[in-house]
Amino acid sequence: ALCGALALFGHYARRGEGWAYGVGMFLYAADSVIYAWFGDWFAFGLHFLPMFFLLVSWNSWRELRRREAAAAALESAAVPTEP
């Protein structure tokens, strides 16, 4: 069930929904903590790399949104050059 939920959050994240990154990372981290709680350090370590890439992709999404907003602001402030 958790894998299905993570896949659903991945789907929404690809569509550009920012909340999906946060919820997906939280659930994935909770899954990682369960492995650490029971002492399965190998599985916990295997969860570290995807969590790193989730964080990197979330930061990339934030930067993309920031640049899109800046481009929209420049576009709306542009003076028309009609004769």
Side-chain angles (χ1 to χ4, degrees):
L2 184 60
C3 289
L6 291 175
L8 184 64
F9 291 124
H11 169 72
Y12 283 114
R14 280 190 303 262
R15 288 181 43 198
E17 302 288 337
W19 62 268
Y21 281 105
V23 173
M25 285 191 304
F26 173 78
L27 290 176
Y28 204 79
D31 187 45
S32 300
V33 168
I34 291 170
Y35 284 119
W37 183 268
F38 288 106
D40 191 353
W41 299 110
F42 181 73
F44 178 77
L46 288 178
H47 278 71
F48 180 77
L49 186 62
M51 277 298 295
F52 171 75
F53 286 119
L54 279 169
L55 182 62
V56 168
S57 66
W58 181 65
N59 285 332
S60 298
W61 174 82
R62 288 178 44 209
E63 179 66 19
L64 176 64
R65 292 294 179 224
R66 188 187 66 76
R67 289 183 184 204
E68 286 175 345
L74 285 175
E75 191 173 289
S76 66
V79 177
T81 57
E82 295 179 17

